[in-house]
Each structure stands twice: as structure tokens, then as C-alpha cells.
Amino acid sequence: MSEKDGVTEGSCRCGQVMLKVKGRPMMTMACHCTGCQKMTSSAFSLSSLYPLEAFEVSGLEPEIGGLHGDLRHFFCPHCMSWMFTRFDGMGPFVNIRSALLDDFGGFRPFIESYTSEKLPWAETPARHSYPKFPPMEDFPGLMAEFAQSGN
């Protein structure tokens, strides 16, 4: 993962909303759910989980899009890039779309979720796979393993 002074920057497609994160992600993921397939127009979405205090947004104010509910998906109001997701039920974290971060090639997914909805030909190098979301009690162990992995 590319980190300059512990900071990774990124932006939406048009560059009018900028992101900045400090440190490494707590985990990287691929989600195969049909919602992510539709929002990305692809086989799965890639994301990186960060503590909310390590996350900064500047430029235009992101807007909530997608389904409105417990999961809040934030988009650039100009180019409509899906930028990040907040789920208060999981705590003070933000799930950033990895492809928006500069030099995201090193953000290989550590886990994959919703493999029950996965396209038969879609493959990831994830170490752990779940048919739905991982159970909440699995997250501490997964985050500890991710931190030790040097991913």
C-alpha cells in the first residue's frame, strides 16, 4: 500500500471531492452482493475500512445515495462516484471504495462477503469468504489477523 507520511489520498472521478486517510486500513474487503454489483456496474465492490477519526473529506459535500437506511452510501454530487459507506451499527468506522484511493493496487481484499450472490466467474485473492456479511463477533479476530498480515 502506498503511504506517504502515513497519509493516503484519493478522489472521486471528477476530482471535486477529495479523500484523505491516515495510516493503514483496518481491513480490506470485496463484496459480491447484488447491491454492490449494481452500484459499481461490476462483479463486486472493493473497500477499505478505516476508523472515522483517520478519515477526512474536502471539496464538494458528498450526498447520500443508493438505498437510504442503516447503511448510508455517499456519492460525489457532481460525477456521482460512490465514495464511501457509513454504518453506525458497526461503530465509528468508514468503508472507503478502495479504487478511489491513489495507488490502490496494494489494497488486495482480505475478506470477501456475500459469496452467496457472487457471479460464478468472479474470483478474488481474499483469505476469508463469507456467504453473507461476517458475523460481528468475527471482526476483532479478522482485524487482528489483517494487521499481522502486513497486507
Side-chain angles (χ1 to χ4, degrees):
M1 287 176 218
S2 174
E3 296 178 17
K4 182 179 177 188
D5 300 325
V7 173
T8 303
E9 296 180 343
S11 71
C12 61
R13 186 173 183 190
C14 72
Q16 293 189 63
V17 180
M18 286 77 63
L19 305 175
K20 189 182 293 186
V21 289
K22 295 179 184 120
R24 295 181 69 240
M26 299 174 75
M27 190 157 22
T28 54
M29 299 163 270
C31 182
H32 296 276
C33 78
T34 55
C36 284
Q37 290 173 18
K38 288 178 184 242
M39 289 205 317
T40 61
S41 298
S42 187
F44 49 83
S45 69
L46 297 173
S47 61
S48 299
L49 184 68
Y50 282 89
L52 191 56
E53 70 269 4
F55 173 66
E56 211 176 291
V57 178
S58 59
L60 295 178
E61 185 70 26
E63 295 180 356
I64 295 176
L67 295 177
H68 297 249
D70 292 343
L71 284 173
R72 291 173 293 152
H73 304 293
F74 291 85
F75 293 77
C76 169
H78 183 74
C79 69
M80 303 309 287
S81 295
W82 179 22
M83 301 194 70
F84 58 94
T85 299
R86 292 283 330 277
F87 175 52
D88 291 334
M90 195 169 170
F93 301 103
V94 61
N95 206 19
I96 300 168
R97 305 281 68 83
S98 300
L100 299 179
L101 297 171
D102 296 344
D103 193 23
F104 76 95
F107 287 71
R108 181 178 64 213
F110 184 72
I111 69 167
E112 61 182 346
S113 61
Y114 271 86
T115 57
S116 60
E117 297 178 11
K118 175 180 153 177
L119 295 171
W121 49 263
E123 300 293 330
T124 76
R127 286 191 190 178
H128 300 277
S129 296
Y130 292 88
K132 298 288 182 189
F133 284 120
M136 292 307 281
E137 60 269 13
D138 284 10
F139 275 93
L142 288 167
M143 289 190 283
E145 184 182 341
F146 179 81
Q148 293 297 315
S149 74
N151 227 9

